[in-house]
């Protein structure tokens, strides 16, 4: 039986032809006119008829979790902004300067979901930005896009020109100065800011440093961005895909959103509601970006949507959500792709939910070495355990791959990996955690491959018999 979305039709990709609903050959960049004709900006129009807090409540009701990797509830994050006082007449105090920073960096290897939205339906992102800005009383938004996304940056710039020409953004106010539920109009300006191609700028505070024109070094928290973020002002940071969900949530309601995806399978856990873009790469017959309900088993994604394993080979493993999340082993093909995946299958988390699939011929030692090389190159160097540890990990794994290592080097690599990262409390950001989870999960789940590449370590043992025995 073919896989079907619980919504009955695509939500994020309704204007982007994707398998199995439409042939991707029909893709094109959706213009403002086409976007409006197909229901675009209806969510923004409805949002402006509501009070800002009511929009936030609807997003909280949907339990929309961040699609950038961490999975933090979007509406809850918005409530961390400083509260505004209300006078006797019901008028809010001036919120002052606040910012929205849109994370369009998408530098996690194997991840290309946000690129799909920016390539072909940029106004969906712009509408989500406008809704977020209104709900959070933010007048300035920056789209921080990775340096390598040259084409996508041009597409967004052109879409922004259309949006300004049509009065979506600008000094006149959202939607050509439409009156709002908070009273009067609300004006928002939006800009595209191009990064320089550093992986670390995908970390929220590293992104803020880069936006300010500084080196992309993560900041120590607290203070958190919602209190002191960009240029020292309260700042909300949301991912492209997260914001792209807002128009449909506002238009159809938070309860509609909760009918998609899955509830949590852990006591006290948080649900994984909604659809998710999953970019599948690796050894499958039909790699690409698919919109699925959260909770879809990896096997269903590969066999029903991607046409199965390439050349009929067996499944060996998969990096389920970007290399920093770690690997699913050969016995975890039926893993459910939801936000509980970390606790169920011993990985760091769902991450970007863009699986890289490996077949039976994959050299997992080489995979681990290549991942370690990447993190060594991308470490910002601010924290000693990450700067030095990532280099040592790469050297050890290169030695293991070349067959020059000994058994003790396996233990040493795992020891280094386990002692670096923000979770052991030795680094400012989570880059080292991504490094160590990737290496640890691969070494632990494919231990026999590593042991086959190393020489046994010989430790001489000397024994003495009696007090006068000589060694």
């Amino acid at each position: 039986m073919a896989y079907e979305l619980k919504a009955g039709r695509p939500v994020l990709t309704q204007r982007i032809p994707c398998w199995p609903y439409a042939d991707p050959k029909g893709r094109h960049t959706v213009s403002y006119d086409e976007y409006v004709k197909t229901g675009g900006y209806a969510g923004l129009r409805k949002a402006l008829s509501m009070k800002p807090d009511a929009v936030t409540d609807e997003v909280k009701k949907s339990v929309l979790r961040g699609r950038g990797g961490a999975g933090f509830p979007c509406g809850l994050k918005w409530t961390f902004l400083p509260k505004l006082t209300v006078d006797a007449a019901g008028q809010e105090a001036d919120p002052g300067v606040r910012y929205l920073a849109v994370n369009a960096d998408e530098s996690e290897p194997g991840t290309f979901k946000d690129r799909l939205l920016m390539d072909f339906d940029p106004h969906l992102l712009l509408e989500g930005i406008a809704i977020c800005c209104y709900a959070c009383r933010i007048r300035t938004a920056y789209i921080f896009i990775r340096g390598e996304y040259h084409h996508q940056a041009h597409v967004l710039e052109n879409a922004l020109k259309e949006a300004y020409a049509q009065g979506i953004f600008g000094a006149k106010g959202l939607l050509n100065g439409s009156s709002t539920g908070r009273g009067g109009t609300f004006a928002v300006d939006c800009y595209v800011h191009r990064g320089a191609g550093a992986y670390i700028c995908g970390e929220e505070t590293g992104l803020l440093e880069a936006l300010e024109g500084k080196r992309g070094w993560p900041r120590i928290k607290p203070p958190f961005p919602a209190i002191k973020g960009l240029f020292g002002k309260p700042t909300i940071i949301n991912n492209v895909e997260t914001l792209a969900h807002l128009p449909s949530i506002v238009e159809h309601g938070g309860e509609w959103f909760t009918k998609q995806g899955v509830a949590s399978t852990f006591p006290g856990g948080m649900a994984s509601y909604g659809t998710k873009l999953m970019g599948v790469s690796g050894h499958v017959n039909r790699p690409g970006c698919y919109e699925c309900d959260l909770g879809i088993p990896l096997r269903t994604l590969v066999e029903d949507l991607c046409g199965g394993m390439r050349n009929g080979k067996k499944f060996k493993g998969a990096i389920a959500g970007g290399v920093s999340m770690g690997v699913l082993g050969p016995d975890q093909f039926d893993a459910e792709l939801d936000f509980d995946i970390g606790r169920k299958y011993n990985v760091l988390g769902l991450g970007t939910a863009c699986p890289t699939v490996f077949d039976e011929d994959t050299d997992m030692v080489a995979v681990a070495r290549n991942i370690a090389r990447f993190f060594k190159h991308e470490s910002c160097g601010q924290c000693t355990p990450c700067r030095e540890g990532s280099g040592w990990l790469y050297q050890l794994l290169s030695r293991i791959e070349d067959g020059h290592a000994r058994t003790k080097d396996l233990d040493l690599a795992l020891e280094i990996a386990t002692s670096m990262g923000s979770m052991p409390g030795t680094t400012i950001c989570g880059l080292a955690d991504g490094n160590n989870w990737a290496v640890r999960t691969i070494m632990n789940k494919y231990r026999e491959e590593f042991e086959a590449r190393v020489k046994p370590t010989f430790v001489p043992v000397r024994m003495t018999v009696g007090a006068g025995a000589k060694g």
Side-chain angles (χ1 to χ4, degrees):
M1 182 177 177
Y3 176 77
E4 291 185 7
L5 287 164
K6 292 179 182 177
R9 62 177 180 83
V11 179
L12 294 173
T13 59
Q14 58 183 295
R15 300 176 190 87
I16 308 173
C18 293
W19 298 116
Y21 305 99
D23 190 337
K25 291 180 181 177
R27 290 176 180 172
H28 62 278
T29 301
V30 176
S31 66
Y32 172 85
D33 291 336
E34 182 181 353
Y35 186 71
V36 172
K37 287 178 183 177
T38 53
Y41 290 111
L44 176 59
R45 192 169 291 106
K46 182 177 178 181
L48 292 183
S49 70
M50 305 162 63
K51 290 188 178 296
D53 286 342
V55 177
T56 300
D57 289 341
E58 206 64 45
V59 176
K60 288 173 65 177
K61 190 188 302 181
S62 73
V63 200
L64 169 65
R65 297 178 67 171
R67 270 37 177 177
F72 194 83
C74 176
L76 180 61
K77 179 187 281 190
W78 293 357
T79 64
F80 294 159
L81 288 168
K83 300 293 185 291
L84 301 178
T85 57
V86 180
D87 62 20
Q91 294 296 314
E92 289 182 344
D94 182 4
V97 177
R98 296 178 171 191
Y99 295 104
L100 169 64
V102 182
N103 190 343
D105 193 64
E106 194 167 51
S107 50
E108 185 73 23
T111 302
F112 47 93
K113 61 182 182 64
D114 294 342
R115 186 179 72 185
L116 183 79
L117 296 173
M118 293 185 285
D119 261 333
F120 302 111
D121 201 1
H123 283 280
L124 182 64
L125 169 61
L126 298 184
E127 184 176 5
I129 289 171
I131 291 171
C132 175
C133 286
Y134 174 68
C136 298
R137 293 84 161 177
I138 293 171
R139 298 186 182 275
T140 306
Y142 291 99
I143 304 172
F144 185 92
I145 189 167
R146 67 181 294 191
E148 293 87 348
Y149 276 1
H150 306 289
H151 173 70
Q152 290 73 23
H154 291 308
V155 171
L156 283 174
E157 288 281 11
N158 290 333
L160 263 177
K161 289 178 183 177
E162 288 184 315
Y164 269 93
Q166 299 295 333
I168 302 299
F169 297 108
K172 205 173 175 184
L174 291 171
L175 284 181
N176 280 305
S178 297
S179 59
T180 68
R182 75 190 294 269
T185 61
F186 192 82
V188 175
D189 281 308
C190 184
Y191 306 92
V192 174
H193 181 100
R194 299 181 67 175
Y199 173 83
I200 195 62
C201 291
E203 194 276 336
E204 61 176 14
T205 58
L207 183 152
L208 295 179
E209 288 287 294
L211 265 176
E212 292 180 2
K214 304 172 187 174
R215 177 181 290 181
W217 274 12
R219 302 173 180 174
I220 295 174
K221 295 180 284 190
F224 292 94
I227 303 300
K228 186 178 180 182
L230 186 62
F231 304 117
K233 301 298 182 180
T235 304
I236 291 295
I237 306 168
N238 281 141
N239 172 259
V240 168
E241 187 184 354
T242 309
L243 293 168
H245 269 296
L246 297 181
S248 59
I249 289 174
V250 173
E251 184 178 0
H252 302 293
E255 187 177 346
W256 165 85
F257 189 78
T258 62
K259 294 177 181 177
Q260 305 152 42
V262 293
S264 175
T265 55
F266 277 81
M270 191 169 291
S272 299
Y273 291 137
T275 63
K276 180 80 181 68
L277 293 180
M278 299 184 180
V280 186
S281 57
H283 304 146
V284 295
N285 283 318
R286 193 168 65 193
C289 198
Y290 300 88
E291 184 173 0
C292 311
D293 285 289
L294 277 167
I296 183 176
L298 178 60
R299 184 188 298 272
T300 301
L301 178 60
V302 170
E303 295 183 350
D304 287 9
L305 296 178
C306 299
M309 297 295 295
R310 194 174 63 190
N311 299 325
K313 294 186 177 180
K314 294 180 181 178
F315 170 84
K316 186 173 185 177
I319 294 169
V323 296
S324 61
M325 294 297 107
V327 70
L328 295 171
D331 59 341
Q332 297 174 335
F333 197 16
D334 292 303
E336 302 89 354
L337 300 176
D338 60 27
F339 288 108
D340 288 324
I341 192 172
R343 292 183 284 183
K344 291 188 285 190
Y345 298 102
N346 191 30
V347 291
L348 184 54
L350 181 64
T352 58
C354 290
T356 302
V357 182
F358 305 123
D359 67 20
E360 57 190 309
D361 295 332
T362 306
D363 182 352
M364 299 308 293
V365 178
V367 170
R369 185 265 307 151
N370 195 36
I371 291 173
R373 180 204 60 79
F374 172 79
F375 282 111
K376 171 184 176 293
H377 182 268
E378 293 296 340
S379 172
C380 76
Q382 186 176 187
C383 304
T384 304
C386 180
R387 181 184 66 245
E388 301 298 328
S390 60
W392 278 109
L393 268 182
Y394 175 61
Q395 287 187 43
L396 283 168
L397 290 167
S398 296
R399 190 186 306 167
I400 293 168
E401 184 184 18
D402 293 339
H404 300 149
R406 295 188 176 275
T407 310
K408 65 180 181 181
D409 291 321
L410 299 181
D411 298 328
L412 182 58
L414 287 172
E415 182 182 347
I416 292 173
T418 307
S419 60
M420 56 189 272
S422 60
M423 282 188 274
T426 60
T427 60
I428 292 173
C429 85
L431 183 141
D433 293 290
N435 193 353
N436 78 53
W437 272 87
V439 170
R440 275 194 292 153
T441 55
I442 294 173
M443 291 187 70
N444 288 330
K445 294 180 182 181
Y446 301 92
R447 180 80 181 190
E448 66 284 351
E449 288 193 38
F450 287 83
E451 290 177 344
R453 301 283 268 274
V454 300
K455 301 171 184 177
T457 301
F458 175 70
V459 180
V461 178
R462 296 184 178 183
M463 298 181 65
T464 61
V465 181
K470 294 182 179 181

